[in-house]
Amino acid sequence: MAQAPQTFFDALAVRTWCGLALTALGRAREEIDAINVYPVADGDTGTNLYLTVESAATAVEAVFAGYEAGSGAGSAPAGKPSLADAARAMAHGALIGARGNSGTILAQLLRGMAQVLTAEGETPHTDGDGLRLALRHAADSARQAVAHPVEGTVLSVASAAADAAEGAEGDCGTVAGAAYRGACAALAATPGQLAVLERAGVVDAGGRGLVAVLAALVGTFTGEVPGLSGAVTAAAGAAHAREESVQAADCADDGPDGEGGESGEGGPAFEVIYLLEAEDSAVARLRQRLDAQGDSLVVVGGDGLWNVHVHVDDAGAAVEAGVEAGRPYRIRITHFGADDAHTRAGERPPRERVQRAVVAVVPGEGLAGLYAEAGATTVLARPGEPPASGELVEAVRRAHAREVVLLPNDADLRHTAAAAAEQARTEGIRVALIPTRSAVQGIAALAVHEPDRRFDEDVVSMTSAAGATRYAEVTVAERQSWTMAGICQAGDVLGLIDGDVAVIASDVTAAAETVLNRMLAAGGELVTLVLGDEAPEGVAEHLETRVREAYLAVDTVVYRGGRQGALVLIGVE
């Protein structure tokens, strides 16, 4: 692909690089996914890298669009963005859009480069010398972000690229070319550094993706992207011998998910990823806490915003650690499952899908952990921030299953979930949408989920359990409004049963008790209480005592939902 070359790093060079990198990763995505064997053979390294760069490119395009729209528009910005504008947008976009271990590391590489390119000083870092500095700082900062760096991964490829760049003299094109060739050579060497790669006959997938990004960097400054025109053969890695998969001359190699972490027998069951608003000191403590909980820990970012990635057995504890450190959001929890566990000697064929999975939208971190521990892939929905259909489609893909049961857990998300289900079906995934209207209905459905029985029977059973669960919530009115229970004022406590306001009160505990009594008047065998972070102390104990004294045959279970919007969620089965 020929592009008009850039002679130095400016905003247009950043834009061109992001565009070329996105194209390169788009071409290589499926083959990189197909040979993913380390640290988890979950077949998504190429997709994760693509989505990370897509987010970076989108952020850069938004900066350019803002300047173009504002040209001559009074106080709006006019002209063209500066290098600092574009580079910071690239880094921020990659940070908030990073997916998986490789994507998170790539985000830190881009952030490290942006820090050098935008550094203030007498000499601007926009020429070959500046690019050398940027590549070195990027490699070093990415290595520091990984709790336990492993050689033979994307970290090795990044370091080799920086080493090669340091030995090059000339303009940006010359330096980028040297970095690319150094990365190719390092990529070819990865099987000799990591035994699981050698056994599978592949090179590192994260490193392979970085080679594509560096090839795009060469194209930015020379007008020609090397090694990407037909050089990559789909799904070649695991099916070829090592000598056939490490041809560094044209970088036609495939590879596994090459990231920091340790693989072992069994390995953690969950991947937990979230963005985190927190101070540096709190993040330092968070690193120590998460490092003790699992592996593949990568924490990238800075200036108050971080992207956290870790593999753990206790997903809830990993999220709770984030809550203690600051404000986690965009939480994604993926259950690896029996066929998606950490690599065991490279014996399993890559990308093997599990037969069935559950994907659920949940309103709080605590419930996200609860659902994940039950085997579901979760999408977190914060108050006022409902997920888009694209996020649900992505979650369905992350589940890596032939059959998926989708639980929206919100009446307002039914159409969004239906659109996501339809999209997933076009990709060959069998999807059943159960129209759950509350997380407590989702809990009931998940409790009877049996992946070993026929899909239709499982869906019918889960639908029946959800439908037999009445749901309620206790919340606080934000404004004056007419309701079925009368006029409420801002600050009033509202009790909603099956979506309609049934109680207006001034006390949370009293409102919850009234709601519960009305629900149990129609019968019930099990009460589920999900407490939000702002629920008053003692409300659960009060309601449990009330049920125990007044309804002898009814059991009660209590969960902590975290920042879920509602003060209390109530389910009666």
Side-chain angles (χ1 to χ4, degrees):
M1 177 188 299
Q3 292 281 332
Q6 297 291 123
T7 57
F8 58 91
F9 240 121
D10 61 3
L12 184 57
V14 173
R15 185 187 203 182
T16 302
W17 182 28
C18 287
L20 291 175
L22 190 62
T23 299
L25 288 171
R27 290 175 176 173
R29 178 179 64 83
E30 290 187 1
E31 56 147 298
I32 296 175
D33 282 348
I35 44 85
N36 180 13
V37 300
Y38 178 83
V40 178
D42 50 359
D44 61 0
T45 296
T47 298
N48 287 338
L49 291 169
Y50 179 86
L51 291 172
T52 301
V53 173
E54 182 181 47
S55 182
T58 299
V60 173
E61 288 301 321
V63 169
F64 272 85
Y67 273 84
E68 290 165 2
S71 182
S75 61
K80 62 181 181 179
S82 66
L83 171 60
D85 292 331
R88 286 169 182 156
M90 173 186 71
H92 181 75
L95 178 66
I96 65 173
R99 299 291 193 275
N101 231 347
S102 285
T104 307
I105 292 171
L106 178 59
Q108 187 66 12
L109 288 168
L110 296 179
R111 176 180 171 83
M113 290 192 68
Q115 286 175 326
V116 173
L117 294 174
T118 61
E120 297 181 358
E122 296 181 1
T123 304
H125 296 148
T126 60
D127 56 5
D129 290 339
L131 181 54
R132 279 196 297 272
L133 291 173
L135 289 166
R136 170 50 61 197
H137 182 64
D140 292 346
S141 62
R143 190 170 286 269
Q144 292 168 3
V146 177
H148 300 283
V150 174
E151 298 307 325
T153 68
V154 63
L155 298 175
S156 303
V157 176
S159 294
D163 292 342
E166 287 179 340
E169 296 291 337
D171 59 13
C172 286
T174 302
V175 173
Y180 169 75
R181 291 188 294 274
C184 286
L187 179 65
T190 55
Q193 296 174 291
L194 202 55
V196 65
L197 306 185
E198 188 168 32
R199 285 192 294 268
V202 297
V203 295
D204 178 65
R208 172 64 184 90
L210 180 58
V211 163
V213 173
L214 291 173
L217 185 63
V218 174
T220 300
F221 295 110
T222 67
E224 293 291 335
V225 179
L228 294 177
S229 55
V232 180
T233 54
H240 290 70
R242 174 183 169 186
E243 56 268 21
E244 294 177 344
S245 68
V246 292
Q247 300 299 318
D250 60 3
C251 291
D253 311 275
D254 308 307
D257 197 1
E259 299 129 4
E262 304 110 11
S263 63
E265 186 65 31
F270 301 101
E271 177 185 58
V272 179
I273 308 172
Y274 50 79
L275 293 178
L276 177 69
E277 294 176 356
E279 298 297 328
D280 290 5
S281 58
V283 171
R285 293 190 297 272
L286 175 66
R287 288 179 192 269
Q288 295 178 346
R289 183 168 175 181
L290 292 180
D291 190 30
Q293 291 182 11
D295 62 30
S296 294
L297 173 61
V298 186
V299 181
V300 303
D303 302 321
L305 180 62
W306 308 82
N307 190 307
V308 179
H309 173 285
V310 68
H311 295 170
V312 294
D313 280 321
D314 189 342
V319 174
E320 288 172 6
V323 172
E324 292 188 11
R327 176 182 175 261
Y329 61 105
R330 291 194 186 181
I331 299 170
R332 296 187 297 275
I333 300 175
T334 303
H335 182 248
F336 291 128
D339 292 329
D340 248 353
H342 277 214
T343 300
R344 298 181 184 89
E347 295 173 351
R348 286 177 292 103
R351 294 199 77 190
E352 182 178 352
R353 292 182 178 273
V354 297
Q355 182 61 31
R356 189 175 308 155
V358 176
V359 173
V361 180
V362 292
E365 299 91 345
L367 281 179
L370 174 68
Y371 271 73
E373 287 166 8
T377 296
T378 62
V379 179
L380 188 69
R382 287 196 170 278
E385 300 178 15
S389 62
E391 293 179 71
L392 300 187
V393 173
E394 182 192 334
V396 171
R397 291 170 181 154
R398 283 191 287 121
H400 285 294
R402 299 180 184 90
E403 302 167 339
V404 171
V405 179
L406 183 57
L407 306 175
N409 290 339
D410 187 335
D412 292 337
L413 287 178
R414 184 170 183 176
H415 295 300
T416 301
E422 189 61 33
Q423 173 61 37
R425 292 182 187 115
T426 66
E427 299 177 10
I429 304 171
R430 188 180 185 187
V431 181
L433 171 61
I434 297 179
T436 48
R437 296 171 175 268
S438 170
V440 291
Q441 288 189 324
I443 291 172
L446 201 55
V448 299
H449 169 53
E450 292 186 15
D452 293 333
R453 64 185 166 194
R454 290 179 56 249
F455 185 63
D456 292 338
E457 292 176 356
D458 198 27
V459 171
V460 168
S461 177
M462 294 176 72
T463 302
S464 177
T469 302
R470 298 188 69 195
Y471 64 95
E473 66 177 80
V474 178
T475 188
V476 176
E478 296 181 356
R479 66 185 70 87
Q480 184 186 61
S481 180
W482 289 85
T483 76
M484 295 185 66
I487 301 175
C488 71
Q489 305 295 328
D492 283 348
V493 178
L494 305 180
L496 289 79
I497 299 177
D498 294 335
D500 294 321
V501 176
V503 176
I504 300 175
S506 59
D507 179 74
V508 173
T509 301
E513 181 178 346
T514 301
V515 166
L516 186 56
N517 285 334
R518 292 190 185 183
M519 296 176 74
L520 287 173
E525 298 175 354
L526 176 66
V527 171
T528 300
L529 302 176
V530 183
L531 305 182
D533 278 350
E534 298 181 2
E537 282 290 327
V539 62
E541 291 78 1
H542 179 85
L543 295 178
E544 285 184 285
T545 300
R546 172 61 182 166
V547 171
R548 186 169 55 252
E549 293 176 349
Y551 306 95
L552 300 180
V554 179
D555 295 323
T556 305
V557 293
V558 181
Y559 302 110
R560 296 284 173 178
R563 300 181 222 187
Q564 62 184 19
L567 299 173
V568 184
L569 295 176
I570 302 174
V572 174
E573 302 174 47

